[in-house]
Amino acid sequence: MISALILTYNEEQDLPGCLDSIAWCDDIHVLDSNSTDATREIAAARGAHVTIRSFDNYAAQRNAGMALPFKHPWVFILDADERPTSALSAEMPAAVAAAAPTVAAFRLRRRDFLWGTWLKHAQLTPFYIRLLRVGKVHYTRDVNEIAEVDGDTLSLAAPLDHLAFSKGISYWIAKHNSYATFEANLLIDGAATQHASLHQALFASDFHDRRVAQKAIFYKLPLRPLIKWWYMMFLRGAILDGRAGITYATLQSFYEFLIDIKRREILRHRAGLPL
């Protein structure tokens, strides 16, 4: 009833646990970005369909993944460091079986973890569209991609667990250093702020649409790293998550700082100024 799609690049550490968590699925596809470790061999040995595609950007990669020949009309998308809980694994088949023809996607509640601590307060975006009807979803935005759904989106109750720091802090920083380059270019080109609508940010009926507008407005603010740290720590309550929450808020603020200085660096380079 449900196929699965996992996007990978050098995921030999996390992929076995991910595959274990979806052992109930009889149609697992791995779209790999030319891994240099044992990722593809692990996937193939576990019976997954492996497709190789050179990475260009995150939206294009997910769109390519959704064009694969799935056995079932619904696809569960997850990353190698994500695990559906047993409750979610039971909830998804029942949800798609009861879904009206107008329903094109389901939104899941993701729980991010650091050092074994659920970042209950620190996590900024707990809702992700990950259960999709084939042919009804298209992704846009090069990084932190946006799912555009052709139809209704419903929500599921059970959580999807995300082991965001399974490979360590250094890996998280390296990955977000790459993200920051994408985001800096989107800022310069205006793509990061094109949906900056205050009305949509406050009153859009769909959480996803509100979030897109809120993020676009946020990118227009000065002193974003400091604003983000204060917001996460005291308005969201990251401090209530203890050391893990404080660490995560600081890392997220550092990420905003990286985006800003990379934007400045790119602009100086384009203007022919010394770096």
Side-chain angles (χ1 to χ4, degrees), residues 67-138:
L68 294 174
F70 296 109
K71 178 179 179 181
H72 302 297
W74 288 87
V75 180
F76 174 41
I77 295 185
L78 69 166
D79 295 331
D81 59 359
E82 294 175 331
R83 313 282 186 268
T85 59
S86 57
L88 180 59
S89 294
E91 185 180 11
M92 287 191 291
V96 300
T102 56
V103 176
F106 286 90
R107 185 182 296 107
L108 311 182
R109 179 182 292 272
R110 196 175 76 177
R111 300 189 299 189
D112 287 356
F113 288 83
L114 170 59
W115 300 328
T117 298
W118 173 26
L119 300 169
K120 182 178 181 180
H121 302 89
Q123 186 175 352
L124 288 168
T125 309
F127 302 108
Y128 290 81
I129 297 173
R130 291 298 190 84
L131 183 55
L132 318 171
R133 194 187 291 272
V134 175
K136 292 296 183 179
V137 176
H138 179 77

Side-chain angles (χ1 to χ4, degrees), residues 209-224:
D209 293 337
R210 291 198 304 274
R211 180 63 183 156
V212 168
Q214 289 165 4
K215 187 169 184 177
I217 292 172
F218 174 66
Y219 271 130
K220 290 191 170 186
L221 298 178
L223 303 176
R224 286 197 331 275

Side-chain angles (χ1 to χ4, degrees), residues 18-217:
C18 180
L19 292 171
D20 287 342
S21 72
I22 55 171
W24 47 263
C25 181
D26 67 349
D27 185 44
I28 300 173
H29 292 256
V30 170
L31 180 60
D32 186 72
S33 303
N34 293 297
S35 289
T36 57
D37 65 1
T39 295
R40 297 197 296 271
E41 290 76 11
I42 291 170
R46 298 287 292 270
H49 305 280
V50 179
T51 303
I52 302 170
R53 181 183 186 273
S54 297
F55 182 86
D56 43 9
N57 64 67
Y58 291 91
Q61 199 74 353
R62 290 202 183 274
N63 286 328
M66 288 304 297
L68 294 174
F70 296 109
K71 178 179 179 181
H72 302 297
W74 288 87
V75 180
F76 174 41
I77 295 185
L78 69 166
D79 295 331
D81 59 359
E82 294 175 331
R83 313 282 186 268
T85 59
S86 57
L88 180 59
S89 294
E91 185 180 11
M92 287 191 291
V96 300
T102 56
V103 176
F106 286 90
R107 185 182 296 107
L108 311 182
R109 179 182 292 272
R110 196 175 76 177
R111 300 189 299 189
D112 287 356
F113 288 83
L114 170 59
W115 300 328
T117 298
W118 173 26
L119 300 169
K120 182 178 181 180
H121 302 89
Q123 186 175 352
L124 288 168
T125 309
F127 302 108
Y128 290 81
I129 297 173
R130 291 298 190 84
L131 183 55
L132 318 171
R133 194 187 291 272
V134 175
K136 292 296 183 179
V137 176
H138 179 77
Y139 289 92
T140 60
R141 207 174 192 276
D142 290 354
V143 65
N144 294 316
E145 60 278 3
I146 297 170
E148 296 183 348
V149 180
D150 180 17
D152 298 330
T153 300
L154 303 182
S155 296
L156 299 181
L160 170 69
D161 287 347
H162 179 211
L163 311 180
F165 294 88
S166 60
K167 299 182 185 69
I169 297 289
S170 294
Y171 179 85
W172 189 96
I173 291 174
K175 182 172 69 172
H176 282 73
N177 180 47
S178 173
Y179 288 174
T181 302
F182 277 101
E183 292 285 7
N185 279 294
L186 290 177
L187 266 177
I188 292 169
D189 298 339
T193 56
Q194 65 179 344
H195 298 291
S197 165
L198 182 60
H199 183 272
Q200 182 168 311
L202 296 175
F203 304 113
S205 58
D206 184 79
F207 168 84
H208 171 75
D209 293 337
R210 291 198 304 274
R211 180 63 183 156
V212 168
Q214 289 165 4
K215 187 169 184 177
I217 292 172

